[in-house]
Amino acid sequence: MSAAADRQAPILPGQADYLVATAARAPSVHNTQPWRFRIRPDALELYADPARKLRVDPLGREMLISCGAALFGLRLGIRSLGFMPVVELLPDKTRLALLARVSLGQARPMTGSERQLLNALPHRHTHRGPFAAEPLPAGLLASMQHDAAAEAATLALIGRGRGYEPLTDIVAAAGRRLDLVPRARADMRDWTRSPGSAARDGVPASAFAAAADHHRGRLPQRDFDLGRHLGQLTADGPAPAATALILTPGDSRGDWLCAGQALHRVLAHAATRWVFASLHTQPFEAGAIRSLIRDRLALPGVPQIILQLGCAQTTRATARRPPSDVIDL
């Protein structure tokens, strides 16, 4: 998928806007949408936008995971045009903000499963409300594990046995500590929106609760409300049906981009079955915590994201900025 000889078709102006809009449906930390795109005659370049990096993310790990998710969306958009995406990951070591260069490769019709992923993007969303009290569709988790493996990552399922309790303890302790860090609180104030806000980034009041749910088997969510009484969701409800971790072989910039691609692919697949996830990246903002969880749970890779999954019949997706806001001319 990286051979330059496979490139065939130019990217037309109308196609560029469509591809960027598709890529921008990706999940991102605090809905920061920390990406920018540059259109070349034969390629579309993906850049990180450091101005949208969180204060608590000095290395840009969460920013790159978010951009990796956008890269998967871009690839999926190219597949919908009937081409194979040709991806050069981190193509220029002297330009750290340039994360990928993507072009149109060989012509090949989109598959039915890829079409399902594309159709799920408009309603896929990070789920912070209550889940339905029902099990996940049979076979879904195994299929999602294949999705992660296809993106050079691992989706490790955490059962209610010995793995879940230490994970809960570490996440809760790390969350309590990080919630008190002034930089983290400033990030949440900057990236949450009041009811009725017309902003097309950040976390809207309709997508977080006024009080966190600390029971019924659900890992504690970030306190986006911070006592401001903005949140409109109810935090109570049934426990999630499954908990999983996205793991990567290493902890490099390339691994973070792979984690984001795996995340978006897994979440889009889940959304085809009306299964959604609450995402937990806060405990992993410190490398020491990532190492601790890896060692305590004897994981076969570096943990990057926690997903708690459940069924929900909702179509409320978070707003995104239009292509004109994220394309550099």
Side-chain angles (χ1 to χ4, degrees):
M1 199 169 69
S2 61
D6 287 341
R7 297 174 184 164
Q8 291 185 347
I11 296 177
L12 304 177
Q15 291 176 332
D17 282 356
Y18 163 73
L19 292 174
V20 169
T22 303
R25 290 298 332 159
S28 62
V29 59
H30 292 11
N31 194 28
T32 51
Q33 304 170 47
W35 43 66
R36 299 202 68 82
F37 299 87
R38 188 166 296 166
I39 312 303
R40 303 301 187 189
D42 63 346
L44 202 157
E45 293 178 340
L46 169 66
Y47 290 80
D49 185 352
R52 290 175 168 265
K53 183 174 67 173
L54 298 182
R55 296 175 179 86
V56 294
D57 187 27
L59 297 179
R61 186 187 71 92
E62 291 182 280
M63 178 178 67
L64 264 64
I65 290 174
S66 302
C67 289
L71 176 57
F72 175 76
L74 178 58
R75 290 167 45 204
L76 189 61
I78 289 174
R79 291 295 296 121
S80 73
L81 296 179
F83 296 94
M84 296 297 295
V86 179
V87 179
E88 298 174 78
L89 201 65
L90 301 173
D92 189 341
K93 294 182 179 179
T94 67
R95 301 163 65 194
L96 294 181
L98 175 57
L99 304 180
R101 185 178 293 120
V102 188
S103 55
L104 309 186
Q106 295 179 343
R108 187 176 301 173
M110 193 180 206
T111 67
S113 59
E114 289 170 331
R115 179 66 63 184
Q116 288 182 325
L117 296 182
L118 184 73
N119 291 340
L121 296 190
H123 67 263
R124 187 224 56 83
H125 63 280
T126 300
H127 192 78
R128 300 182 186 88
F131 292 110
E134 59 186 82
L136 300 184
L140 177 62
L141 287 174
S143 296
M144 291 164 62
Q145 289 181 303
H146 287 296
D147 290 327
E151 302 297 338
T154 300
L155 185 69
L157 304 180
I158 307 299
R160 289 288 173 179
R162 50 189 293 184
Y164 188 80
E165 293 304 324
L167 178 64
T168 300
D169 292 344
I170 295 171
V171 168
R176 285 193 297 269
R177 180 177 61 83
L178 291 170
D179 278 344
L180 298 176
V181 174
R183 290 176 301 163
R185 296 175 71 84
D187 282 335
M188 287 187 282
R189 288 193 183 94
D190 287 349
W191 293 104
T192 48
R193 306 294 180 237
S194 301
S197 171
R200 301 194 66 80
D201 59 7
V203 184
S206 59
F208 62 89
D213 182 9
H214 294 290
H215 60 286
R216 303 181 73 88
R218 189 163 186 170
L219 294 174
Q221 296 277 333
R222 295 183 197 246
D223 181 11
F224 285 106
D225 194 82
L226 296 175
R228 295 173 293 170
H229 307 291
L230 300 177
Q232 297 179 335
L233 284 182
T234 174
D236 200 5
T243 299
L245 290 166
I246 287 183
L247 314 177
T248 52
D251 208 15
S252 67
R253 298 173 77 240
D255 288 299
W256 300 338
L257 288 170
C258 287
Q261 291 175 87
L263 173 67
H264 197 11
R265 182 168 179 159
V266 163
L267 294 179
H269 188 167
T272 68
R273 307 295 299 273
W274 293 94
V275 171
F276 304 98
S278 59
L279 306 179
H280 302 263
T281 59
Q282 183 183 29
F284 299 144
E285 285 168 354
I289 299 297
R290 298 199 292 279
S291 297
L292 176 62
I293 291 176
R294 178 180 187 175
D295 294 343
R296 187 73 62 85
L297 275 65
L299 297 171
V302 180
Q304 303 291 354
I305 310 156
I306 304 173
L307 293 74
Q308 290 210 290
L309 298 144
C311 298
Q313 292 295 323
T314 177
T315 58
R316 178 176 289 177
T318 309
R320 294 293 189 274
R321 294 184 291 160
S324 59
D325 282 5
V326 297
I327 294 177
D328 292 329
L329 300 177

